[in-house]
Amino acid sequence: MEVGKAIITDRLTKTFGGFTAVDSISFSVDKGEIFGFLGANGAGKTTAMRMLCGLSKPTSGKGVVAGFDISRQSEKVKRNIGYMSQKFSLYEDLEVWENMRLFAGIYGMGDKEIIEKTDEVLNRLGFYEEKNTLVKDLPLGWKQKLAFSTAIFHEPKIVFLDEPTGGVDPVTRRQFWELIYQAADGGITVFVTTHYMDEAEYCNKVSIMVDGRIEALDTPLRLKQQFNTSTMNGVFQQLAQTASRNE
Amino acid sequence: MLKYLLEKEFKQIRRNSFLPRLIIVFPIVIMMVFPWVANLDVKDIKLSIVDNDHSTYSERLVNKIASSEYFYLTNASNTYSEAIESIELSESDIILEIAHSFENSLIKEGYARVMISANSVNGTKGGLGSSYLARIVNDFADEIRSELIPPNNTFPVIDINSQYRYNAYLDYKTFMIPALMTVLLAIISGFLPALNIVGEKEKGTIEQINVTPISKFTFILAKLIPYWTIGFVVLTICFGLATLIYGLSPVGNLGIIYLFAMLFVLTFSGFGLVISNHSSTMRQAMFVMFFFTIIIILMSGIFTPVNSMPQWAQAITIFNPLKYFIQVMRAVYLKGSNIWALSTQLMALLSFAVFFILWAMLSYRKKA
């Protein structure tokens, strides 16, 4: 494996029956990078991400995440990553600190460490007074921030974020990206899917998926030059028009 | 790791608006209501008498029958066809017709005839009713015989002395209560886990668990232990109620009952988790669980003895964990059997528990 790479895939493919959701994608993500994984609805982003996280078996091809093969060593992959799914999936009937404690415990952290870190994280988020609030009573924006904080609580090497800012207001989105930058500064590689093209500008590198294939992969600046447009939105529009899948 | 998962499961159960109440109320309702209604005692049979004789003896026979607790006289018809009509109208269940020359032939010839006809749409009631009635008539015949024949003239008489062991008063409740406890335990420890994992699938929280390096063993264990505890609580409530309401406490060792109960709960929870793992919606899990629970209960010997089922059905009951547990409960509760007498049941339940827990672990898939 190449030194300095957090994720490498080689012709990674997933088919469901006759439908090829992810069609032979090959790319790599550098350590410490914020990697934007873009694509229209149904382009195969979530399926690709689920394979990288060990939630879904690749039909063919190879993937290495944090140094481990995703087909054969998926449990080792899981030890080194954090994941925030598109659908909010923390326990709504547990309190904020209880969710953090549960997942930290599962990742093998000790009691004392968990207690200290919970307070530290909640303070940093400005969220300490909500420590004992049931998660179901939180507004969506806070739920997302909590999900992200829980995903990186155990200090994984890579964190996978599947549309983390879907449905939240622009101010909260802005704050959310600050959290992502903090995490990246702390050395965590961030793999993020999004629909918001302004967010794509925040990424170090961006790939755009169309119909299960990666059609473009570069820094936002060079993509804009390549497609001769001033915004990522322009790049995306040009590529998305070539899509034959609808939803 | 297990510690954190268990904390989570218990907190979720405690915070559920429904489960803690269910765990308390369900045993109370089952124990207070079902021993009375799940009852096969045949009592209060409606009797119609057609007395064609109207003699002293026939009057005595009628009085004797009417004074028994099994029968009450609803109807005295003049003809048999009138009596049959009353059966058709459900006004009576059984007819006793006394022949015209009842007293005459009894005195002169030494024997007399009566006819019993029973409505046996309900076979148990018809069969038991006519045999109770026949017994009363025979008693009556013995009385008459001893009156007519001087006492010094000895007849060889065999006196049968029946002893009812372990349930001296033939109380059906005593027989049903230990078995009802098992059904209750089966329902609570089977349905709750069946809805659990699939519930996490529906909510999406399972995804966050599946992406962690948690082992299948730990995950399933964390799901089983809470139901194991709930089973313990439910059973203890049942014991308390059985003693309090029915004055029924186990003749045998309580420890043996708990041992078997814990194996049984593990079996059923394991089974529930298997169904949960294989289902994609709670509705699906619910229906599958219902299907199996009904078969398991009907083939357990709780209402109908397994020995009187056809051979092929008896062969199926070998794989019914509830059958073994009911045998254990009745044996320990009523007879006071010790553990050596129950080694078959112990081996069976132990194997079931291991089998279903392993299956539950293997069928939990972290990966699609």
Side-chain angles (χ1 to χ4, degrees), chain B residues 208-219:
Chain B
Q208 200 67 51
I209 293 286
N210 286 345
V211 82
T212 67
I214 191 172
S215 74
K216 290 181 174 193
F217 177 78
T218 314
F219 181 77

Side-chain angles (χ1 to χ4, degrees), chain A residues 50 75 87 91 111, chain B residues 3 200 203 207-208 366:
Chain A
R50 286 173 54 87
E75 293 304 296
K87 184 169 177 248
Y91 290 94
D111 257 355
Chain B
K3 177 180 93 175
E200 289 217 25
K203 285 201 196 95
E207 183 109 332
Q208 200 67 51
K366 291 181 75 180

Side-chain angles (χ1 to χ4, degrees), chain A residues 26-155:
Chain A
S26 305
F27 66 94
S28 66
V29 177
D30 291 336
K31 280 185 185 163
E33 200 169 51
I34 298 177
F35 187 87
F37 202 58
L38 275 54
N41 289 328
K45 302 186 302 288
T46 299
T47 309
M49 187 181 252
R50 286 173 54 87
M51 281 193 282
L52 294 176
C53 294
L55 285 172
S56 171
K57 265 194 206 102
T59 310
S60 67
K62 206 170 161 279
V64 175
V65 172
F68 298 103
D69 187 289
I70 56 171
S71 305
R72 287 178 287 113
Q73 299 171 298
S74 58
E75 293 304 296
K76 284 187 177 147
V77 168
K78 287 174 186 174
R79 211 175 289 280
N80 290 290
I81 61 169
Y83 171 72
M84 177 179 165
S85 81
Q86 191 172 356
K87 184 169 177 248
F88 182 73
S89 53
L90 293 182
Y91 290 94
E92 303 235 322
D93 49 354
L94 292 184
E95 289 166 8
V96 169
W97 71 276
E98 290 169 341
N99 268 295
M100 291 183 153
R101 177 178 167 81
L102 169 65
F103 286 101
I106 291 175
Y107 283 106
M109 291 172 72
D111 257 355
K112 193 163 162 276
E113 199 186 348
I114 295 175
I115 291 167
E116 284 169 8
K117 182 132 195 212
T118 302
D119 285 357
E120 181 205 314
V121 170
L122 289 177
N123 273 323
R124 184 147 39 84
L125 286 172
F127 204 42
Y128 193 80
E129 54 277 23
E130 304 292 344
K131 185 178 174 182
N132 298 316
T133 307
L134 281 180
V135 167
K136 64 164 166 254
D137 297 330
L138 295 176
L140 182 66
W142 274 111
K143 281 184 180 171
Q144 306 286 69
K145 283 188 218 170
L146 176 66
F148 178 68
S149 304
T150 306
I152 59 165
F153 195 91
H154 59 288
E155 293 167 17

Side-chain angles (χ1 to χ4, degrees), chain A residues 149-212:
Chain A
S149 304
T150 306
I152 59 165
F153 195 91
H154 59 288
E155 293 167 17
K157 295 201 175 97
I158 307 165
V159 65
F160 290 87
L161 311 172
D162 196 357
E163 286 179 32
T165 53
V168 301
D169 63 75
V171 178
T172 313
R173 266 172 54 201
R174 178 84 219 171
Q175 289 168 347
F176 196 95
W177 273 89
E178 276 162 22
L179 292 177
I180 292 180
Y181 271 106
Q182 276 177 24
D185 286 345
I188 298 176
T189 307
V190 179
F191 186 96
V192 56
T193 73
T194 180
H195 276 146
Y196 298 106
M197 288 308 129
D198 58 328
E199 291 184 354
E201 311 265 5
Y202 304 148
C203 299
N204 301 121
K205 227 196 277 171
V206 163
S207 81
I208 299 177
M209 264 184 108
V210 179
D211 291 352

